[in-house]
Amino acid sequence: MGIFLLIFLTAGITLLALTFGDEKQVQPISRERQEFEKLYSTYDTLNKDYYTDIDQDKIIDGAIKGMITSLDDPYTDYMDEKQAESFHENISSSFEGIGAEVQQKDNQITIVSPIKGSPAERAGLKPRDVVLSVDGKSLEGMSANEAVLLIRGKKGTKVNLSVLREGNTQPIKVSITRDTIPIETVYAKMLKDKIARIQVTSFSERTGSELEKSMKEMQAQGMKGMVLDLRQNPGGLLDQAMKIASLFVPKDEVVFQVEYRNGKKEIAKSQNTGGKPEFPVVVLVDEGSASASEIVAAALSESAGIPLVGVKTYGKGTVQTTEEFKDGSNVKFTMAKWLTPEGNWIHKKGIKPNVEVKLPEYANLPFISPDKKLSINNSSEEIKAGEQMLAALGYKPGTVDGFFDKNLQTAVKQFQKDAKLQQTGAIEGKTTIALMDKIRTKIQNNDVQLNKAVETVKKELAK
């Protein structure tokens, strides 16, 4: 019995898909099956007596989508030929779009995680942001794949999103210029005291090899400890997650388990041949760490005793597989649960880190549209966000209440002066972009989660 593994970074949605055993084939359905009597009868009636000719392919696709919608499972979906083509395109080395993983959750299209360095990240999109519309078209009732076809597009073109952030009552408008999104997944940097930070942003075809190479490069530079950063990592290819987990989890220790509906369990064990690393390791996680990255985090925590730092992870604990049809369409469906080495099911719960560290409030402020003018005597949620940004940067906008008063105008002018911009006293255009860039830089330079992870590595070194 072979092992068929299939986990994709798809067209905007993270899939964890694997099948232990032989790949299944789609079986033909006999018309004698009584449970399909109403379905066939309805089809025949419409085909014969509907007042206009019907599109038979569209009717069949709709019937399949109806069955899938009734399951109320955001990870089970039907993809027509065009959607399936986009699905397969996204596992290549690059694609064009905004660079954000999305899923359908509670009948809404929700951001799982923006890709590092992508237009979505630069625009300030965050995990759990709800995308209400794309270029004015409502996404209500759409599947994630349908939404992605609207969001994606050619490099250099703009897409306008209406986004609702958790805790806010009013949606914000986000204009994003699409770009080529390379699937570069490993970023290594040596920090002070010879502690390396290696960030893995997703699991694609070469991630395991890239991580091994980066670790060797850091060791050649005298690495004494390592922070494995899995924040904002929405998942990817399972074989790569297995390869990465096996670099840290001792040989034959459990990496994860799969449980089927009949109660049968399959256990995946570490393929490590080199033993546990001789240097201390800490893993960084956050609410954007999902799916395969949660498998790695749980495996390193429970089977290798490696501490987790950050905030609770996303919480995706189900397994999907796909059935391909001859016309190029496919059905993706949930076929099992995955469990941590100790048998915990983290679905909708996430993984709680050993050391909880939240980012400051200004790290989660909503996007402010550069196309919108925020000026004196107006009030809005975006003005409130501007006040909070200026306050975080050390300016004095007065009372943070969403009202653009004289105090805020003075603070804006001072910011514009320091940024060598025209002192209009209004937040718009270049001022908005500069303000958000400064906040992004502050978050990066004052990364309290990374600082705590480094501190934890140092404590391990001191033992």
mmCIF file of all heavy atoms in Angstrom, residues 119-159:
data_model
loop_
_atom_site.group_PDB
_atom_site.id
_atom_site.type_symbol
_atom_site.label_atom_id
_atom_site.label_comp_id
_atom_site.label_asym_id
_atom_site.label_seq_id
_atom_site.Cartn_x
_atom_site.Cartn_y
_atom_site.Cartn_z
ATOM 1 N N PRO A 119 1.735 42.108 -2.204
ATOM 2 C CA PRO A 119 0.906 43.323 -2.158
ATOM 3 C C PRO A 119 -0.118 43.286 -1.024
ATOM 4 O O PRO A 119 -0.406 44.312 -0.412
ATOM 5 C CB PRO A 119 0.220 43.333 -3.527
ATOM 6 C CG PRO A 119 1.158 42.580 -4.419
ATOM 7 C CD PRO A 119 1.734 41.502 -3.548
ATOM 8 N N ALA A 120 -0.653 42.099 -0.731
ATOM 9 C CA ALA A 120 -1.636 41.975 0.356
ATOM 10 C C ALA A 120 -1.012 42.326 1.702
ATOM 11 O O ALA A 120 -1.625 43.013 2.523
ATOM 12 C CB ALA A 120 -2.199 40.552 0.387
ATOM 13 N N GLU A 121 0.214 41.862 1.933
ATOM 14 C CA GLU A 121 0.892 42.186 3.193
ATOM 15 C C GLU A 121 1.204 43.679 3.258
ATOM 16 O O GLU A 121 0.991 44.323 4.292
ATOM 17 C CB GLU A 121 2.181 41.376 3.333
ATOM 18 C CG GLU A 121 2.869 41.608 4.681
ATOM 19 C CD GLU A 121 4.264 41.013 4.743
ATOM 20 O OE1 GLU A 121 5.068 41.274 3.830
ATOM 21 O OE2 GLU A 121 4.544 40.298 5.716
ATOM 22 N N ARG A 122 1.702 44.251 2.143
ATOM 23 C CA ARG A 122 2.040 45.675 2.136
ATOM 24 C C ARG A 122 0.803 46.547 2.337
ATOM 25 O O ARG A 122 0.885 47.645 2.892
ATOM 26 C CB ARG A 122 2.739 46.042 0.820
ATOM 27 C CG ARG A 122 4.112 45.400 0.669
ATOM 28 C CD ARG A 122 4.901 46.047 -0.466
ATOM 29 N NE ARG A 122 4.274 45.860 -1.769
ATOM 30 C CZ ARG A 122 4.511 44.826 -2.564
ATOM 31 N NH1 ARG A 122 5.360 43.875 -2.193
ATOM 32 N NH2 ARG A 122 3.921 44.736 -3.747
ATOM 33 N N ALA A 123 -0.355 46.038 1.893
ATOM 34 C CA ALA A 123 -1.597 46.799 2.053
ATOM 35 C C ALA A 123 -2.163 46.685 3.461
ATOM 36 O O ALA A 123 -3.123 47.369 3.804
ATOM 37 C CB ALA A 123 -2.641 46.322 1.046
ATOM 38 N N GLY A 124 -1.572 45.794 4.277
ATOM 39 C CA GLY A 124 -1.999 45.680 5.663
ATOM 40 C C GLY A 124 -3.083 44.663 5.926
ATOM 41 O O GLY A 124 -3.691 44.660 7.005
ATOM 42 N N LEU A 125 -3.367 43.761 4.972
ATOM 43 C CA LEU A 125 -4.359 42.719 5.224
ATOM 44 C C LEU A 125 -3.856 41.789 6.317
ATOM 45 O O LEU A 125 -2.667 41.473 6.391
ATOM 46 C CB LEU A 125 -4.656 41.925 3.951
ATOM 47 C CG LEU A 125 -5.372 42.680 2.826
ATOM 48 C CD1 LEU A 125 -5.699 41.748 1.671
ATOM 49 C CD2 LEU A 125 -6.648 43.356 3.331
ATOM 50 N N LYS A 126 -4.773 41.319 7.167
ATOM 51 C CA LYS A 126 -4.431 40.497 8.324
ATOM 52 C C LYS A 126 -5.263 39.213 8.333
ATOM 53 O O LYS A 126 -6.350 39.161 7.747
ATOM 54 C CB LYS A 126 -4.711 41.265 9.627
ATOM 55 C CG LYS A 126 -3.958 42.576 9.780
ATOM 56 C CD LYS A 126 -2.499 42.336 10.058
ATOM 57 C CE LYS A 126 -1.770 43.645 10.305
ATOM 58 N NZ LYS A 126 -0.320 43.442 10.516
ATOM 59 N N PRO A 127 -4.774 38.159 9.025
ATOM 60 C CA PRO A 127 -5.591 36.963 9.198
ATOM 61 C C PRO A 127 -6.941 37.314 9.826
ATOM 62 O O PRO A 127 -7.018 38.171 10.697
ATOM 63 C CB PRO A 127 -4.748 36.089 10.141
ATOM 64 C CG PRO A 127 -3.344 36.515 9.883
ATOM 65 C CD PRO A 127 -3.430 37.998 9.618
ATOM 66 N N ARG A 128 -7.978 36.666 9.343
ATOM 67 C CA ARG A 128 -9.361 36.813 9.801
ATOM 68 C C ARG A 128 -10.052 38.074 9.282
ATOM 69 O O ARG A 128 -11.205 38.334 9.630
ATOM 70 C CB ARG A 128 -9.472 36.721 11.326
ATOM 71 C CG ARG A 128 -9.145 35.322 11.858
ATOM 72 C CD ARG A 128 -9.367 35.202 13.368
ATOM 73 N NE ARG A 128 -9.289 33.798 13.766
ATOM 74 C CZ ARG A 128 -8.145 33.152 14.006
ATOM 75 N NH1 ARG A 128 -7.005 33.793 13.908
ATOM 76 N NH2 ARG A 128 -8.147 31.883 14.348
ATOM 77 N N ASP A 129 -9.380 38.882 8.476
ATOM 78 C CA ASP A 129 -10.083 39.953 7.773
ATOM 79 C C ASP A 129 -11.132 39.332 6.852
ATOM 80 O O ASP A 129 -10.859 38.342 6.172
ATOM 81 C CB ASP A 129 -9.116 40.787 6.932
ATOM 82 C CG ASP A 129 -8.317 41.782 7.757
ATOM 83 O OD1 ASP A 129 -8.623 41.959 8.945
ATOM 84 O OD2 ASP A 129 -7.363 42.384 7.201
ATOM 85 N N VAL A 130 -12.312 39.905 6.807
ATOM 86 C CA VAL A 130 -13.396 39.405 5.947
ATOM 87 C C VAL A 130 -13.480 40.278 4.698
ATOM 88 O O VAL A 130 -13.612 41.502 4.802
ATOM 89 C CB VAL A 130 -14.744 39.410 6.690
ATOM 90 C CG1 VAL A 130 -15.870 38.994 5.750
ATOM 91 C CG2 VAL A 130 -14.693 38.468 7.893
ATOM 92 N N VAL A 131 -13.381 39.662 3.529
ATOM 93 C CA VAL A 131 -13.495 40.386 2.267
ATOM 94 C C VAL A 131 -14.964 40.383 1.853
ATOM 95 O O VAL A 131 -15.533 39.332 1.549
ATOM 96 C CB VAL A 131 -12.625 39.754 1.158
ATOM 97 C CG1 VAL A 131 -12.690 40.600 -0.106
ATOM 98 C CG2 VAL A 131 -11.172 39.621 1.621
ATOM 99 N N LEU A 132 -15.579 41.547 1.864
ATOM 100 C CA LEU A 132 -17.013 41.659 1.582
ATOM 101 C C LEU A 132 -17.312 41.755 0.085
ATOM 102 O O LEU A 132 -18.311 41.216 -0.390
ATOM 103 C CB LEU A 132 -17.593 42.875 2.297
ATOM 104 C CG LEU A 132 -17.427 42.913 3.827
ATOM 105 C CD1 LEU A 132 -17.972 44.225 4.378
ATOM 106 C CD2 LEU A 132 -18.127 41.728 4.470
ATOM 107 N N SER A 133 -16.445 42.476 -0.638
ATOM 108 C CA SER A 133 -16.691 42.655 -2.067
ATOM 109 C C SER A 133 -15.379 42.866 -2.806
ATOM 110 O O SER A 133 -14.373 43.253 -2.216
ATOM 111 C CB SER A 133 -17.638 43.835 -2.318
ATOM 112 O OG SER A 133 -17.015 45.056 -1.964
ATOM 113 N N VAL A 134 -15.412 42.611 -4.108
ATOM 114 C CA VAL A 134 -14.266 42.814 -4.991
ATOM 115 C C VAL A 134 -14.725 43.676 -6.155
ATOM 116 O O VAL A 134 -15.653 43.302 -6.888
ATOM 117 C CB VAL A 134 -13.713 41.471 -5.516
ATOM 118 C CG1 VAL A 134 -12.561 41.713 -6.485
ATOM 119 C CG2 VAL A 134 -13.258 40.594 -4.364
ATOM 120 N N ASP A 135 -14.112 44.852 -6.300
ATOM 121 C CA ASP A 135 -14.503 45.806 -7.345
ATOM 122 C C ASP A 135 -16.010 46.050 -7.353
ATOM 123 O O ASP A 135 -16.658 46.100 -8.404
ATOM 124 C CB ASP A 135 -14.026 45.310 -8.722
ATOM 125 C CG ASP A 135 -12.508 45.391 -8.863
ATOM 126 O OD1 ASP A 135 -11.899 46.255 -8.222
ATOM 127 O OD2 ASP A 135 -11.942 44.578 -9.616
ATOM 128 N N GLY A 136 -16.565 46.150 -6.139
ATOM 129 C CA GLY A 136 -17.986 46.450 -5.982
ATOM 130 C C GLY A 136 -18.905 45.254 -6.062
ATOM 131 O O GLY A 136 -20.108 45.374 -5.802
ATOM 132 N N LYS A 137 -18.377 44.059 -6.389
ATOM 133 C CA LYS A 137 -19.208 42.864 -6.501
ATOM 134 C C LYS A 137 -19.185 42.102 -5.183
ATOM 135 O O LYS A 137 -18.129 41.702 -4.696
ATOM 136 C CB LYS A 137 -18.711 41.971 -7.635
ATOM 137 C CG LYS A 137 -19.609 40.760 -7.885
ATOM 138 C CD LYS A 137 -19.224 40.020 -9.144
ATOM 139 C CE LYS A 137 -20.197 38.871 -9.424
ATOM 140 N NZ LYS A 137 -19.868 38.158 -10.673
ATOM 141 N N SER A 138 -20.355 41.888 -4.601
ATOM 142 C CA SER A 138 -20.458 41.204 -3.321
ATOM 143 C C SER A 138 -19.990 39.752 -3.425
ATOM 144 O O SER A 138 -20.274 39.061 -4.410
ATOM 145 C CB SER A 138 -21.904 41.235 -2.823
ATOM 146 O OG SER A 138 -22.048 40.427 -1.662
ATOM 147 N N LEU A 139 -19.286 39.281 -2.398
ATOM 148 C CA LEU A 139 -18.821 37.893 -2.358
ATOM 149 C C LEU A 139 -19.769 36.996 -1.565
ATOM 150 O O LEU A 139 -19.477 35.815 -1.384
ATOM 151 C CB LEU A 139 -17.423 37.825 -1.737
ATOM 152 C CG LEU A 139 -16.313 38.604 -2.435
ATOM 153 C CD1 LEU A 139 -14.974 38.291 -1.798
ATOM 154 C CD2 LEU A 139 -16.271 38.294 -3.928
ATOM 155 N N GLU A 140 -20.881 37.550 -1.129
ATOM 156 C CA GLU A 140 -21.827 36.779 -0.323
ATOM 157 C C GLU A 140 -22.277 35.529 -1.078
ATOM 158 O O GLU A 140 -22.722 35.605 -2.226
ATOM 159 C CB GLU A 140 -23.042 37.621 0.043
ATOM 160 C CG GLU A 140 -24.004 36.916 0.997
ATOM 161 C CD GLU A 140 -25.163 37.798 1.425
ATOM 162 O OE1 GLU A 140 -25.197 38.984 1.007
ATOM 163 O OE2 GLU A 140 -26.022 37.317 2.169
ATOM 164 N N GLY A 141 -22.147 34.381 -0.421
ATOM 165 C CA GLY A 141 -22.574 33.115 -1.019
ATOM 166 C C GLY A 141 -21.561 32.470 -1.942
ATOM 167 O O GLY A 141 -21.770 31.359 -2.407
ATOM 168 N N MET A 142 -20.451 33.163 -2.235
ATOM 169 C CA MET A 142 -19.439 32.599 -3.138
ATOM 170 C C MET A 142 -18.539 31.616 -2.403
ATOM 171 O O MET A 142 -18.291 31.741 -1.208
ATOM 172 C CB MET A 142 -18.566 33.703 -3.736
ATOM 173 C CG MET A 142 -19.217 34.520 -4.809
ATOM 174 S SD MET A 142 -17.972 35.532 -5.665
ATOM 175 C CE MET A 142 -19.039 36.490 -6.745
ATOM 176 N N SER A 143 -18.024 30.642 -3.152
ATOM 177 C CA SER A 143 -16.984 29.773 -2.609
ATOM 178 C C SER A 143 -15.661 30.520 -2.657
ATOM 179 O O SER A 143 -15.526 31.548 -3.329
ATOM 180 C CB SER A 143 -16.881 28.489 -3.442
ATOM 181 O OG SER A 143 -16.344 28.781 -4.733
ATOM 182 N N ALA A 144 -14.676 30.000 -1.959
ATOM 183 C CA ALA A 144 -13.358 30.630 -1.963
ATOM 184 C C ALA A 144 -12.775 30.655 -3.365
ATOM 185 O O ALA A 144 -12.165 31.650 -3.781
ATOM 186 C CB ALA A 144 -12.413 29.892 -1.011
ATOM 187 N N ASN A 145 -12.964 29.589 -4.121
ATOM 188 C CA ASN A 145 -12.409 29.538 -5.471
ATOM 189 C C ASN A 145 -13.066 30.556 -6.400
ATOM 190 O O ASN A 145 -12.402 31.161 -7.242
ATOM 191 C CB ASN A 145 -12.549 28.124 -6.040
ATOM 192 C CG ASN A 145 -11.611 27.147 -5.368
ATOM 193 O OD1 ASN A 145 -10.403 27.286 -5.421
ATOM 194 N ND2 ASN A 145 -12.187 26.163 -4.700
ATOM 195 N N GLU A 146 -14.372 30.755 -6.240
ATOM 196 C CA GLU A 146 -15.060 31.772 -7.041
ATOM 197 C C GLU A 146 -14.551 33.165 -6.690
ATOM 198 O O GLU A 146 -14.344 34.004 -7.575
ATOM 199 C CB GLU A 146 -16.570 31.675 -6.800
ATOM 200 C CG GLU A 146 -17.214 30.428 -7.408
ATOM 201 C CD GLU A 146 -18.657 30.240 -6.970
ATOM 202 O OE1 GLU A 146 -18.988 30.641 -5.833
ATOM 203 O OE2 GLU A 146 -19.448 29.696 -7.748
ATOM 204 N N ALA A 147 -14.338 33.406 -5.395
ATOM 205 C CA ALA A 147 -13.835 34.710 -4.964
ATOM 206 C C ALA A 147 -12.431 34.959 -5.497
ATOM 207 O O ALA A 147 -12.100 36.065 -5.930
ATOM 208 C CB ALA A 147 -13.839 34.788 -3.438
ATOM 209 N N VAL A 148 -11.606 33.927 -5.467
ATOM 210 C CA VAL A 148 -10.214 34.066 -5.910
ATOM 211 C C VAL A 148 -10.133 34.439 -7.385
ATOM 212 O O VAL A 148 -9.280 35.235 -7.795
ATOM 213 C CB VAL A 148 -9.428 32.771 -5.623
ATOM 214 C CG1 VAL A 148 -8.117 32.736 -6.399
ATOM 215 C CG2 VAL A 148 -9.151 32.663 -4.139
ATOM 216 N N LEU A 149 -11.033 33.911 -8.193
ATOM 217 C CA LEU A 149 -11.030 34.254 -9.618
ATOM 218 C C LEU A 149 -11.296 35.742 -9.832
ATOM 219 O O LEU A 149 -10.848 36.326 -10.817
ATOM 220 C CB LEU A 149 -12.062 33.411 -10.366
ATOM 221 C CG LEU A 149 -11.716 31.920 -10.540
ATOM 222 C CD1 LEU A 149 -12.840 31.197 -11.258
ATOM 223 C CD2 LEU A 149 -10.405 31.746 -11.294
ATOM 224 N N LEU A 150 -12.025 36.366 -8.905
ATOM 225 C CA LEU A 150 -12.262 37.808 -8.985
ATOM 226 C C LEU A 150 -11.071 38.606 -8.459
ATOM 227 O O LEU A 150 -10.727 39.664 -8.989
ATOM 228 C CB LEU A 150 -13.507 38.185 -8.177
ATOM 229 C CG LEU A 150 -14.855 37.672 -8.675
ATOM 230 C CD1 LEU A 150 -15.960 38.080 -7.711
ATOM 231 C CD2 LEU A 150 -15.168 38.191 -10.069
ATOM 232 N N ILE A 151 -10.437 38.088 -7.400
ATOM 233 C CA ILE A 151 -9.347 38.825 -6.760
ATOM 234 C C ILE A 151 -8.076 38.769 -7.590
ATOM 235 O O ILE A 151 -7.356 39.759 -7.712
ATOM 236 C CB ILE A 151 -9.076 38.264 -5.345
ATOM 237 C CG1 ILE A 151 -10.301 38.486 -4.448
ATOM 238 C CG2 ILE A 151 -7.844 38.914 -4.722
ATOM 239 C CD1 ILE A 151 -10.218 37.785 -3.109
ATOM 240 N N ARG A 152 -7.804 37.626 -8.180
ATOM 241 C CA ARG A 152 -6.569 37.486 -8.948
ATOM 242 C C ARG A 152 -6.651 38.232 -10.276
ATOM 243 O O ARG A 152 -7.726 38.565 -10.757
ATOM 244 C CB ARG A 152 -6.268 36.010 -9.212
ATOM 245 C CG ARG A 152 -5.853 35.247 -7.971
ATOM 246 C CD ARG A 152 -5.445 33.843 -8.299
ATOM 247 N NE ARG A 152 -4.270 33.833 -9.164
ATOM 248 C CZ ARG A 152 -3.738 32.730 -9.677
ATOM 249 N NH1 ARG A 152 -4.294 31.563 -9.437
ATOM 250 N NH2 ARG A 152 -2.668 32.787 -10.439
ATOM 251 N N GLY A 153 -5.489 38.489 -10.863
ATOM 252 C CA GLY A 153 -5.454 39.177 -12.154
ATOM 253 C C GLY A 153 -4.023 39.463 -12.553
ATOM 254 O O GLY A 153 -3.070 39.115 -11.850
ATOM 255 N N LYS A 154 -3.869 40.116 -13.677
ATOM 256 C CA LYS A 154 -2.545 40.348 -14.227
ATOM 257 C C LYS A 154 -1.751 41.375 -13.423
ATOM 258 O O LYS A 154 -2.301 42.307 -12.841
ATOM 259 C CB LYS A 154 -2.653 40.802 -15.683
ATOM 260 C CG LYS A 154 -3.124 39.696 -16.620
ATOM 261 C CD LYS A 154 -3.071 40.139 -18.073
ATOM 262 C CE LYS A 154 -3.479 39.001 -19.006
ATOM 263 N NZ LYS A 154 -3.389 39.398 -20.431
ATOM 264 N N LYS A 155 -0.455 41.184 -13.408
ATOM 265 C CA LYS A 155 0.474 42.089 -12.744
ATOM 266 C C LYS A 155 0.258 43.527 -13.243
ATOM 267 O O LYS A 155 0.110 43.765 -14.435
ATOM 268 C CB LYS A 155 1.912 41.641 -13.026
ATOM 269 C CG LYS A 155 2.979 42.564 -12.481
ATOM 270 C CD LYS A 155 4.366 42.048 -12.834
ATOM 271 C CE LYS A 155 5.448 42.991 -12.336
ATOM 272 N NZ LYS A 155 6.806 42.493 -12.651
ATOM 273 N N GLY A 156 0.233 44.456 -12.301
ATOM 274 C CA GLY A 156 0.086 45.869 -12.644
ATOM 275 C C GLY A 156 -1.338 46.373 -12.621
ATOM 276 O O GLY A 156 -1.562 47.584 -12.618
ATOM 277 N N THR A 157 -2.315 45.464 -12.602
ATOM 278 C CA THR A 157 -3.710 45.889 -12.541
ATOM 279 C C THR A 157 -4.135 46.075 -11.083
ATOM 280 O O THR A 157 -3.561 45.470 -10.177
ATOM 281 C CB THR A 157 -4.642 44.863 -13.212
ATOM 282 O OG1 THR A 157 -4.519 43.594 -12.542
ATOM 283 C CG2 THR A 157 -4.273 44.695 -14.676
ATOM 284 N N LYS A 158 -5.161 46.910 -10.878
ATOM 285 C CA LYS A 158 -5.632 47.182 -9.520
ATOM 286 C C LYS A 158 -6.903 46.405 -9.210
ATOM 287 O O LYS A 158 -7.727 46.155 -10.087
ATOM 288 C CB LYS A 158 -5.899 48.682 -9.336
ATOM 289 C CG LYS A 158 -4.653 49.502 -9.053
ATOM 290 C CD LYS A 158 -5.022 50.900 -8.594
ATOM 291 C CE LYS A 158 -3.771 51.682 -8.188
ATOM 292 N NZ LYS A 158 -4.111 53.018 -7.652
ATOM 293 N N VAL A 159 -7.055 46.048 -7.941
ATOM 294 C CA VAL A 159 -8.292 45.435 -7.474
ATOM 295 C C VAL A 159 -8.702 46.160 -6.196
ATOM 296 O O VAL A 159 -7.868 46.482 -5.351
ATOM 297 C CB VAL A 159 -8.123 43.920 -7.226
ATOM 298 C CG1 VAL A 159 -7.079 43.634 -6.151
ATOM 299 C CG2 VAL A 159 -9.455 43.276 -6.867
#
